[in-house]
């Protein structure tokens, strides 16, 4: 796929796991570095598909939770900008909703480190600062600036020739929530630091959920646009 084709590729609906399986599969026996692994949700899904997963996260609490949740995988407490692995240690590396959590001044180093330790591609999946889910979340945590900064870091990485774009896809991650409490519970589960803001802004979030959400049998439907980039060493 050319860069021009990659620029225009879009799916009306999809999931990160579908993209991973499509672009990196078959996963059985593949060694994958999960950068910003959090509590191990992606590691669990990948190991269930036969991948050999090593997760890294700078948070000690997150690493402890990931080890307990996914004993089949390995985990290391480390920052994305200073990966403690030799060159070409993994078949692939993945940033799933994690690049925008890297401090802005370290994003370039994080991308460079991932390209260094992967002998194959680096897959970056990032939420965009748009969509109904994003609009409802904004009172709890407005990530407009940091999500834009992550996209700028990716563009700069390609512009300076540090990586080559193999594929690009935009898609909507459709989510269903059981009302305002279900939405806020999900938001806090992703980041417990949001708890106080979630409690303070509950009424505002409820009003935004009524404005942006669509009632369906599965719950209230919201969409979070994502962009997936498959990078290779230049």
């Amino acid at each position: 796929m050319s860069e021009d084709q990659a620029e225009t590729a879009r799916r009306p609906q999809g999931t990160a796991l579908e993209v991973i399986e499509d672009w990196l599969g078959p996963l059985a026996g593949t060694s994958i570095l999960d950068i910003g692994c959090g509590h191990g949700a992606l590691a669990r899904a990948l190991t269930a598909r036969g991948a050999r997963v090593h997760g890294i996260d700078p948070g000690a609490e997150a690493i402890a939770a990931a080890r307990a949740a996914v004993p089949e995988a390995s985990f290391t407490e480390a920052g994305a900008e200073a990966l403690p692995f030799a060159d070409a240690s993994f078949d692939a590396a993945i940033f799933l909703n994690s690049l925008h959590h890297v401090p802005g001044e370290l994003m370039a180093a994080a991308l460079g480190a991932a390209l260094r330790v992967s002998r194959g591609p680096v897959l970056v999946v990032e939420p965009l600062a748009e969509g109904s889910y994003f609009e409802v979340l904004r009172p709890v945590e407005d990530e407009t600036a940091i999500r834009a900064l992550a996209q700028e870091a990716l563009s700069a990485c390609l512009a300076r020739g540090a990586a080559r774009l193999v594929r690009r896809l935009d898609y909507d991650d459709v989510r269903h929530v059981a009302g305002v409490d279900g939405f806020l519970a999900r938001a806090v589960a992703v980041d417990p630091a949001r708890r106080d803001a979630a409690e303070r802004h509950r009424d505002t979030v409820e009003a935004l959920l009524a404005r942006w959400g669509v009632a369906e049998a599965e719950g209230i439907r919201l969409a979070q646009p994502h962009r997936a980039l498959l990078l290779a060493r230049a």
Side-chain angles (χ1 to χ4, degrees), residues 57-71:
D57 197 283
E61 184 273 336
I63 290 296
R67 285 175 176 157
V70 197

Side-chain angles (χ1 to χ4, degrees), residues 56-180:
I56 71 101
D57 197 283
E61 184 273 336
I63 290 296
R67 285 175 176 157
V70 197
E72 306 93 335
S74 301
F75 298 95
T76 299
E77 184 181 340
E81 74 283 357
L83 298 175
F85 308 108
D87 294 359
S89 293
F90 302 92
D91 293 323
I94 300 174
F95 291 88
L96 175 55
N97 296 334
S98 57
L99 181 62
H100 69 283
H101 290 294
V102 176
E105 68 276 12
L106 299 178
M107 287 181 183
L111 289 169
L115 289 160
R116 177 184 64 79
V117 304
S118 177
R119 53 182 167 266
V122 173
L123 173 57
V124 184
V125 181
E126 276 288 302
L128 301 177
E130 58 189 64
S132 54
Y133 190 93
F134 173 74
E135 293 296 340
V136 179
L137 182 64
R138 286 179 74 178
V140 177
E141 184 174 13
D142 188 346
E143 293 186 333
T144 301
I146 196 65
R147 292 188 186 187
L149 196 58
Q151 295 302 316
E152 291 170 11
L154 287 161
S155 296
C157 178
L158 295 169
R160 66 175 178 270
R164 175 173 56 88
L165 180 62
V166 180
R167 301 182 73 173
R168 170 175 163 169
L169 173 70
D170 288 2
Y171 66 93
D172 288 339
D173 183 352
V174 173
R175 306 166 182 185
H176 290 87
V177 299
V180 64

Side-chain angles (χ1 to χ4, degrees), residues 193-217:
R194 294 170 171 172
R195 187 177 306 280
D196 289 345
E199 292 174 357
R200 290 198 312 272
H201 298 292
R202 184 187 184 282
D203 291 347
T204 301
V205 171
E206 187 171 27
L208 289 170
L209 192 59
R211 174 185 175 187
W212 289 97
V214 177
E216 295 183 341

